[in-house]
Every structure is written in structure tokens, then in C-alpha cells.
Amino acid sequence: MKIISLVPSITETLFDFGLNPDQIVGRTKFCIHPEEKIKSVEMIGGTKNLNIEKIKALKPDLIIGNKEENTKEQVEILMKEFKVWITDIQNLEDNRNFISELGYILQQQPVAEKINSETEEIFSEFEIENRRKAAYLIWKNPYMTVGSDTFIHDIMQKLGFENIFRNQLRYPAITHDDLRNTEYILLSSEPFPFREKHAEELKKILPETKIILVDGEAFSWFGSRPSKSGAYYRSLLESL
């Protein structure tokens, strides 16, 4: 089976299932893991700017994308000629189902069971007594955060954070004033690459709030990534 992945976390997951570059025949320019293997896979554009002609030339048996990451118009073009699986992962339960279905398609059910088991074991470690009020920022100018129908929100909940924007959906734009009642602000490394200088800017405006730089991949990448992020999650929570 020749597969094209339209999402970085899906590409990583396919490699974690044991596939090789002969089977993963196409990936986006944002697919960066695993670094030692990814370079030998043909690039087919960006997640929202796919090179349709290059994809057609690769003649894949299956294309795997994501409702949020890829554009509907381009996906519909591909669906006319190829089998396209568009995932929609809003929480860890969706992720579990995705891994299980992928294992069935790849005839790698034991690998799927292992990934799901490791993921469940990681999150079962965290005993949540008092939730920490937090906001997770993904963008600057304007600041943008996450609502309750996002994968990031579910990861926050599982780690003991109370998303102060849980009553909103998707990725609302917010202001400094909207952040004044939170204990923690989590600044993601992606899609906007927040750095220490951005944390310092916020500290001047919100001196009482704890502002922390976090690994965006550990919070937003679905697939196999959560099963490999236990050490990071533990370190993050210990630092609080």
C-alpha cells in the first residue's frame, strides 16, 4: 500500500507503525518527524497548499488528511480520483479510535493496541485534585486561544488545567483583558513560535500570572505523539 500523509502528526504516526519510505510516498513540507527518515519521502506542498499534480503522479492507494489541517476544496479534488481518509480528532477518545482504525487498515493491530495502551497509561498517572486555571495561546497579533472542541483543550484537561475559554469554540481571538483572571498562560511553540521575549512582554502586562513556554507538539499533535510525551508532561507539571 502506498500512502500519502497530509498532516505532520499522521506522518510521524505512520513511521511509528513501522512503515518505511517506500510505503509513505508523500508528505507535506511541515512533516519533520522522524528526522532521520523523513527526508527520503517526496514533499507534496503544505497542509493547506497541496501540489495536486504531484500527488496524482505518485498514484497513492490511500491519502490520509485531517478536517482541521487541510482545505475542503483540495480534499474534494483528490476524492474524485483517490481513496481519501479525512480524520477529525477533537479529543483523546477520537485519537484512540483513529489509532485503532489505522492499525486495522495497516494490519498492525498489535502496534495500535500498544500505542493506545501507552497513551492511557500516561494520562492515568495524573491525579487531579485542584485544577489550575489556564489559557493556551497559539497565535499573536491578535492573540488566539483554544476552545473546548479542540484536541489541545482535552490534553489540558487531562493534565489538570482548567481552560478559562472552555465555553468558546475553536480558536477565538482574545485581548490582554481576557487573560486577567487566569493563573497560568501557556505559550505554544507552534503554530506561532512563542519565545522568552514574548513571555516577558506578557509578564509586564500581567505580572501576577505565571507564563510558561510549552511544547506545541506535545499538546496539539494527535496520533502516536501523546504516547511518547509522558516524560515531557511529568516534567511540565513538576515545574509548576
Side-chain angles (χ1 to χ4, degrees), residues 51-69:
N51 187 325
I52 301 296
E53 294 307 313
K54 184 175 283 190
I55 291 174
K56 289 181 178 180
L58 291 169
K59 299 179 180 179
D61 300 302
L62 175 64
I63 299 171
I64 310 178
N66 180 261
K67 181 180 179 181
E68 182 173 287
E69 296 285 342

Side-chain angles (χ1 to χ4, degrees), residues 127-133 159-162 183:
E127 296 181 4
I128 311 303
E129 296 181 1
N130 299 308
R131 290 193 173 274
R132 303 173 174 94
K133 294 173 67 175
L159 295 178
F161 293 103
E162 178 185 335
E183 298 172 76

Side-chain angles (χ1 to χ4, degrees), residues 110-138:
V111 178
E113 291 172 6
K114 182 175 184 291
I115 291 172
N116 280 333
S117 177
E118 289 174 347
T119 301
E120 290 175 2
E121 185 176 347
I122 286 170
F123 288 102
S124 70
E125 294 179 22
F126 307 119
E127 296 181 4
I128 311 303
E129 296 181 1
N130 299 308
R131 290 193 173 274
R132 303 173 174 94
K133 294 173 67 175
Y136 186 103
L137 301 190
I138 61 167

Side-chain angles (χ1 to χ4, degrees), residues 58-109:
L58 291 169
K59 299 179 180 179
D61 300 302
L62 175 64
I63 299 171
I64 310 178
N66 180 261
K67 181 180 179 181
E68 182 173 287
E69 296 285 342
N70 307 123
T71 61
K72 180 181 178 182
E73 294 76 16
Q74 290 200 308
V75 166
E76 289 177 343
I77 291 172
L78 294 171
M79 283 180 169
K80 293 177 182 178
E81 294 188 37
F82 304 102
K83 182 178 180 180
V84 181
W85 178 15
I86 295 300
T87 61
D88 185 12
I89 316 293
Q90 296 186 16
N91 50 55
L92 283 168
E93 182 61 28
D94 290 343
N95 195 63
R96 176 181 176 79
N97 294 335
F98 163 64
I99 292 293
S100 295
E101 189 169 352
L102 185 60
Y104 177 78
I105 290 171
L106 300 176
Q107 297 184 338
Q108 294 279 0
Q109 288 94 331

Side-chain angles (χ1 to χ4, degrees), residues 29-43:
K29 64 182 180 180
F30 301 114
C31 297
I32 56 176
H33 300 299
E35 187 177 358
E36 69 278 8
K37 296 179 180 179
I38 204 71
K39 294 176 183 177
S40 58
V41 180
E42 186 79 24
M43 278 197 292

